[in-house]
Amino acid sequence: MGPVSRKKVRILTFVSYYLPGYKAGGPLRTLANMAENLGDSFEFWIVTRDRDQGESQAFDSVCINQWQEIANAHVYYISPERCGIQNIAEIISSTDHDLIYLNSFFDPTFTLKPLLALKFLLASYKPIILAPRGEFSEGALIIKPFKKKLYIKLISRFYKGVKFQVSSNYEKSDTLRTLPWLQEKDTYIAIDLAEKPTATLPMSTTRTFSTEQSIRLIFLSRICKMKNLDYALSVLSKVTSQICLDIYGPQEEPDYWSECEVLIRDLPANIQVNYCGNVMPEHVKPTFAAYDLFFFPTKGENYGHVIAESISVGTPVLLSDQTPWRDLENEGLGWDYPLDDPLQFARAIERFASIPVEERKLRRDLVYKKAVEKLSDQSAIESNKQLFLSVLKNGKP
């Protein structure tokens, strides 16, 4: 059955983790937002693990190894023993689809195995789109660099004919630099879709605005080298103002978290740091609303959903320049600086701490208004629609 007789384009999607999971961060949220915003023209049929990242037990709220409707998508939660190439090939060949959508370059299970199934088991002849999700940023590639270079060298032939989705010109440059065999015409820019902003500025019912002498900072992300918490702590060691930093997120790399704990113990007395555990998705925005500033010196984001969530409740952001969120000071949303100058981050925090409380409140309103304007931009939705329609029009790989 083709897309015309079915009326909606059916996109068979592979991703490591999906709802109700949340620990893997951006990719699953991007897909959930795509399913919500593009449902008038597209159907997302998503194949994913039957558990959240780092968990040994399957979700107890879903059916395993069968299709079911979850929110605005159809989802197949696959058990570990069914993740072989043959089983994946069976899912592909038995599921009517118009496009195949992959959400990682380096994922051996949910990218390489589908590609092998398509090449050797002739599971499908449909076009393939791959979204690397920031994996080719400089910050990402310096983590396990030899392994990644070897992987690219050994398996690049299996990516022949695959079209690439990038979320910005920055990611496009990163991708073309990393994959010299990839042609520019085979890359499509379509920004990741954020959750729609709330109609009014939400404030935490427990919020107590910081005093003139102190500010409350939040770091909310997966705790791993890529997200650069150790850098944030090193910056705070150079700050003389009274600061409280609360850290939220799963401890994805325990050894790395141990290194961060050492840095925390060595901080001066004016810096208070607390680890507050995980935050469920529905609590992320109210949590952000309780803080003065989101400090996120990440080594690389192809989008950064947590950034959108922070500004959507009026909380300004202090970021590295390794995300698509640039020129933030001129936009009134915060600041973005290069990672090679930690003192610039420290000075920004000092300046922010000197702003009177009432002025900080007024700035929150301005951040929220600008965020609503930015996150409600229909051009992002349109670029995602055109991504799939253009690849579909241009035919199979």
Side-chain angles (χ1 to χ4, degrees), residues 117-161:
L118 294 167
K119 182 172 181 64
F120 294 113
L121 301 179
L122 307 178
S124 172
Y125 291 97
K126 301 298 172 62
I128 305 166
I129 301 173
L130 187 150
R133 306 293 180 206
E135 292 173 321
F136 299 136
S137 70
E138 291 183 5
L141 290 173
I142 61 174
I143 299 172
K144 300 179 180 178
F146 176 76
K147 184 177 180 180
K148 289 177 179 177
K149 287 179 182 177
L150 183 62
Y151 185 91
I152 291 171
K153 184 176 181 180
L154 292 177
I155 55 81
S156 60
R157 64 185 183 277
F158 299 125
Y159 291 77
K160 184 179 180 181

Side-chain angles (χ1 to χ4, degrees), residues 44-64:
F44 286 86
W45 290 62
I46 300 170
V47 182
T48 188
R49 284 188 173 88
D50 65 358
R51 62 202 65 193
D52 205 354
Q53 181 172 325
E55 296 295 329
S56 58
Q57 298 296 317
F59 298 120
D60 57 12
S61 59
V62 304
C63 299
I64 309 300

Side-chain angles (χ1 to χ4, degrees), residues 81-96:
E81 68 274 8
R82 297 288 298 276
C83 285
I85 296 175
Q86 184 66 49
N87 286 325
I88 288 176
E90 290 174 2
I91 293 172
I92 295 173
S93 60
S94 65
T95 306
D96 185 25

Side-chain angles (χ1 to χ4, degrees), residues 383-396:
S383 71
N384 277 263
K385 288 182 178 180
Q386 289 305 313
L387 162 72
F388 296 117
L389 294 176
S390 297
V391 172
L392 193 61
K393 180 180 178 181
N394 292 336
K396 65 187 180 184

